[in-house]
Amino acid sequence: MLQLVIATVLFLVMMFGIGFILNMLLKTTWFPIYMYVIVLIPIFIWQTWDDTKSFAGNFSAFTFVDILPAIGALIGAYVSGATIRALRRGGYKMF
């Protein structure tokens, strides 16, 4: 259980950092969330896909331990966009 908490926080912080840097470099606000949904989730599903199982069987194989760090990363991507948006509204032109 401790590893799950650490992994979730690690993914949240890691996605926040990557998203913050991407937002500064590309001058976008919600790009990390789009990247997460369009690129990272399908890659994760493709890597864990098992041809011997049915379509529903593949998705039912994901457990709470698999989903919670992914939700943490999605929250980190959202918080990075919200932080950049708040900094821009605060008058910081670099962001």
Side-chain angles (χ1 to χ4, degrees):
M1 198 61 163
L2 181 63
Q3 291 94 347
L4 178 63
V5 172
I6 292 171
T8 303
V9 172
L10 179 68
F11 278 97
L12 187 142
V13 171
M14 192 169 53
M15 195 64 189
F16 174 81
I18 292 169
F20 193 84
I21 291 170
L22 283 174
N23 283 331
M24 282 193 313
L25 292 175
L26 299 176
K27 304 282 189 197
T28 63
T29 303
W30 302 113
F31 178 72
I33 291 179
Y34 301 143
M35 180 185 69
Y36 184 82
V37 171
I38 294 171
V39 176
L40 295 179
I41 290 177
I43 287 176
F44 179 71
I45 291 171
W46 177 71
Q47 285 181 341
T48 59
W49 196 263
D50 186 10
D51 289 331
T52 60
K53 293 182 183 177
S54 67
F55 182 78
N58 276 307
F59 286 107
S60 66
F62 292 119
T63 62
F64 181 71
V65 175
D66 298 326
I67 295 171
L68 193 63
I71 291 172
L74 185 61
I75 291 169
Y78 174 77
V79 171
S80 72
T83 303
I84 288 290
R85 186 178 57 190
L87 287 170
R88 286 186 186 140
R89 286 183 181 165
Y92 292 95
K93 296 183 192 272
M94 184 178 106
F95 302 112

